[in-house]
Amino acid sequence: MKPLSIRVLAWANLSQKTFRTLALAFIVAIFSFMLYVGSMVSVNLNNGIESLSARLGADLLVVPQGEGKKIESVLLRANPSNFYLPDTLLREVRQLPGVEKASAQLFLASLEAQCCTVKVQLIGLDQKSDFVVTPWMRQSFDRDLQDGEVIVGDYIFGAIGDNIKFFNHELKIVSRLAPTGMGFDSSVFMNMNTLRELAKTAMPDRVEEINHSHSAILVRVKQGVDPISISDQLLDRLGLGADVNFVFASNMMSDTADKLRSITTFLYGLAGGLWVIAAAIMFIVFAFAFNERQKEFATLRALGASKAKVIRLVLTESFMTSAMGTAVGVLFGVLVMSLFTVSISKTIGLPYLAPTVAETVQVAVLTFIAGLVTCPLASIQTIWRISRRDIYTSLREGEA
Amino acid sequence: MRPNMISGFLMVLIGAAFTLAVMFGLDYCQTAKPMKCFWMIRAEVGVGLMILLSGIAMKFVHVKTALGLQIANVMMGGMIVALATVLIGPCIKPQMICNHWTQSLLIIMGVAVMLIAAADAWRLSKVEE
């Protein structure tokens, strides 16, 4: 037979009231789950924004009139699009004083065949002038892409060396990018020639137009130059019929940061509200339980247990309940966050980058600590009442 | 109410909710030639019905037999996870709805079934007949 330690006694008490124990653990589990998920979503969004700011090396993007939102979708949310502007514009942009670098990209959205394939963004790069994608692409692939070769984003299925088929063209995967948390994760990069070959099959009626078009011009301005002055100069040069939109990287970053702030505030507010509710419910339950268990505590005291031992018993019970609930809540949180990464990033529509193992462990540990203290904090009043009551009054209370 | 009646009612509810959710709520690739995810969904419906039937059976048996059935339901939860991952699994591309949504939901539901059944088995194990 096991010796009657505080732990054994606390576990026996919890086992006798299985329904109450499970219900309390369930409340702690919901709070821990919300806190973990809220924290992880915030961490992932922060990582996404850091990745965006590190990878978006352009200060200004020039796109066709009315396509400003679409380029943001391509960059942030992986919503594939097709839009084109004349390739002569790149020359005009490069001639503007204040422009340090300018490079063009050409887009083509793949077909979406009912339910079983997904649209991906095909991006043609001019690797000689590209200063946005190529520098970090070089980390995984150290030469220019040849015709028929592609580099795929993290979400694209296929191993290096495999062929991937778009518009009846077999293309060879030569490298895979590290996760970016941006639309690039669902993109396939190739050189301009390869993309124009695909366009012949994809849009045979627009081949001529695409051969002399780009989708976006990415501009880096010289130090100290305001990107707005570049857009003004270009409009002055081209006149009102320019039919172009300007997307400023600084605006995109601040918009994204604002959205991130609201989502983070909401998630932490929800977790905080749930913690208050959980603590309040625990407080009430423990207060009622104390009334029920006064005689039990007094008997323990009469049998020789000190006040400190009875208090330790109550604390151990509440720690055990908290630990059960927190473990389940954090387990579910980890499962949800690892399984629903793609769905969450699609729903939120902001740069969203999965955390490192260290970040995951850190958030899990902090959540565990926050969950663990919930029940003991709620039992403080019970402990205070135990410390004040004497054995005789407790045993005789309720007798006529 | 007898303790195993509560367990029976709980598992009938879980089994029915799981089966209906899988049959009508979860997306899979509806093509002329059934794909992997179609068979995964079929198998999961079978497991859901087994949970439902075990719930019905629990109402008519002794508490300790109900405990045995509840332990079997813990394994059924494991089976839900296994069918959605190693035994059949969804279609292969990460962005397909059956891959990033249906499979994830099935794993979460499987783990939930395991935990609920385990918690109830613990409750039943404490009941004196």
Side-chain angles (χ1 to χ4, degrees):
Chain A
M1 194 179 157
K2 279 185 190 172
L4 199 60
S5 65
I6 295 280
R7 227 174 37 189
V8 171
L9 196 57
W11 182 245
N13 282 336
L14 293 179
S15 302
Q16 279 311 110
K17 299 267 182 194
T18 46
F19 185 77
R20 194 188 71 188
T21 307
L22 290 173
L24 289 177
F26 180 68
I27 293 166
V28 179
I30 292 176
F31 154 69
S32 311
F33 171 80
M34 281 310 301
L35 184 63
Y36 180 82
V37 168
S39 308
M40 285 309 288
V41 169
S42 305
V43 168
N44 293 357
L45 287 172
N46 262 322
N47 286 347
I49 289 202
E50 276 170 23
S51 162
L52 175 70
S53 93
R55 290 192 162 95
L56 193 68
D59 301 305
L60 175 71
L61 290 94
V62 186
V63 292
Q65 183 73 42
E67 309 292 2
K69 285 286 163 207
K70 278 192 186 167
I71 185 79
E72 285 188 25
S73 290
V74 171
L75 290 174
L76 304 181
R77 290 182 279 277
N79 289 342
S81 293
N82 292 321
F83 46 83
Y84 303 102
L85 41 74
D87 59 1
T88 50
L89 202 62
L90 179 61
R91 207 170 45 241
E92 298 278 354
V93 172
R94 279 181 176 152
Q95 283 169 358
L96 295 174
V99 170
E100 188 188 323
K101 284 176 182 174
S103 181
Q105 291 185 352
L106 186 60
F107 298 158
L108 186 63
S110 77
L111 283 177
E112 187 173 28
Q114 295 175 342
C115 66
C116 298
T117 53
V118 277
K119 244 178 167 179
V120 299
Q121 183 74 62
L122 309 176
I123 300 180
L125 301 170
D126 174 10
Q127 289 190 287
K128 295 273 179 296
S129 64
D130 180 47
F131 57 92
V132 175
V133 182
T134 306
W136 52 269
M137 212 184 244
R138 290 272 184 252
Q139 293 168 9
S140 55
F141 190 67
D142 59 0
R143 62 172 170 84
D144 281 355
L145 287 165
Q146 305 298 311
D147 291 352
E149 289 182 341
V150 293
I151 293 181
V152 295
D154 186 55
Y155 289 166
I156 307 292
F157 183 74
I160 294 171
D162 283 358
N163 279 356
I164 188 168
K165 200 171 187 177
F166 290 109
F167 301 108
N168 223 19
H169 287 70
E170 294 276 354
L171 305 171
K172 190 177 178 190
I173 301 175
V174 292
S175 184
R176 171 175 289 281
L177 294 178
T180 64
M182 302 158 56
F184 289 155
D185 287 343
S186 307
S187 302
V188 175
F189 299 91
M190 58 197 77
N191 65 24
M192 289 277 187
N193 279 346
T194 309
L195 194 110
R196 289 196 165 116
E197 273 304 308
L198 297 186
K200 284 180 188 166
T201 319
M203 291 190 272
D205 49 332
R206 293 177 71 182
V207 171
E208 263 315 292
E209 181 196 351
I210 293 170
N211 279 344
H212 299 99
S213 296
H214 295 130
S215 296
I217 297 170
L218 296 91
V219 184
R220 182 183 288 170
V221 299
K222 286 178 182 159
Q223 204 161 10
V225 174
D226 186 351
I228 295 177
S229 69
I230 302 293
S231 63
D232 290 344
Q233 286 174 50
L234 192 63
L235 284 178
D236 285 346
R237 226 173 230 246
L238 300 173
L240 287 175
D243 271 350
V244 290
N245 251 171
F246 299 96
V247 176
F248 297 97
S250 55
N251 290 357
M252 199 159 76
M253 290 299 293
S254 64
D255 284 356
T256 311
D258 283 346
K259 284 179 193 159
L260 167 74
R261 216 168 294 124
S262 355
I263 291 174
T264 309
T265 311
F266 171 75
L267 289 171
Y268 279 125
L270 192 65
L274 276 170
W275 188 79
V276 172
I277 295 169
I281 294 171
M282 304 285 163
F283 180 81
I284 296 165
V285 171
F286 279 115
F288 277 109
F290 174 76
N291 289 337
E292 257 179 45
R293 299 176 66 187
Q294 273 189 75
K295 285 192 179 172
E296 176 194 329
F297 293 141
T299 309
L300 284 171
R301 295 283 317 281
L303 288 171
S306 62
K307 266 186 191 175
K309 273 208 167 156
V310 178
I311 289 170
R312 269 177 59 204
L313 176 69
V314 173
L315 274 177
T316 311
E317 280 180 30
S318 51
F319 261 118
M320 281 176 166
T321 314
S322 275
M324 271 193 278
T326 311
V328 171
V330 172
L331 169 77
F332 261 86
V334 171
L335 268 179
V336 166
M337 289 311 295
S338 53
L339 293 170
F340 289 97
T341 303
V342 177
S343 307
I344 295 171
S345 75
K346 278 189 169 185
T347 309
I348 295 178
L350 290 173
Y352 186 92
L353 187 59
T356 58
V357 177
E359 281 171 329
T360 309
V361 172
Q362 191 186 355
V363 173
V365 169
L366 288 176
T367 309
F368 202 82
I369 293 168
L372 214 55
V373 298
T374 311
C375 283
L377 272 181
S379 62
I380 279 177
Q381 196 228 14
T382 311
I383 291 165
W384 182 69
R385 285 165 73 183
I386 290 171
S387 65
R388 286 189 52 195
R389 287 269 170 147
D390 64 277
I391 305 170
Y392 181 77
T393 321
S394 297
L395 280 173
R396 299 302 300 269
E397 197 159 81
E399 286 179 14
Chain B
M1 196 188 280
R2 284 162 58 211
N4 50 324
M5 289 294 277
I6 300 171
S7 307
F9 179 72
L10 180 73
M11 294 325 283
V12 165
L13 208 69
I14 290 173
F18 177 79
T19 309
L20 290 174
V22 171
M23 280 173 80
F24 302 111
L26 294 184
D27 285 315
Y28 61 95
C29 302
Q30 291 168 334
T31 48
K33 188 185 166 199
M35 297 179 72
K36 249 175 110 182
C37 58
F38 170 82
W39 300 113
M40 175 180 76
I41 290 282
R42 276 269 180 110
E44 297 285 12
V45 168
V47 178
L49 288 173
M50 290 299 288
I51 295 172
L52 193 152
L53 290 174
S54 78
I56 296 171
M58 273 183 209
K59 294 180 182 181
F60 305 103
V61 295
H62 293 292
V63 171
K64 293 300 167 196
T65 316
L67 171 63
L69 284 170
Q70 202 57 294
I71 291 168
N73 278 330
V74 177
M75 293 171 206
M76 290 287 183
M79 182 59 86
I80 292 172
V81 177
L83 285 170
T85 50
V86 287
L87 292 181
I88 302 178
C91 300
I92 210 155
K93 291 183 183 172
Q95 284 180 306
M96 287 179 172
I97 189 107
C98 62
N99 190 306
H100 72 77
W101 183 246
T102 304
Q103 184 199 30
S104 307
L105 274 178
L106 284 169
I107 294 172
I108 296 285
M109 289 195 279
V111 174
V113 168
M114 283 168 82
L115 285 173
I116 294 169
D120 194 56
W122 178 53
R123 188 184 66 88
L124 288 173
S125 71
K126 299 290 166 194
V127 173
E128 302 280 330
E129 265 193 294

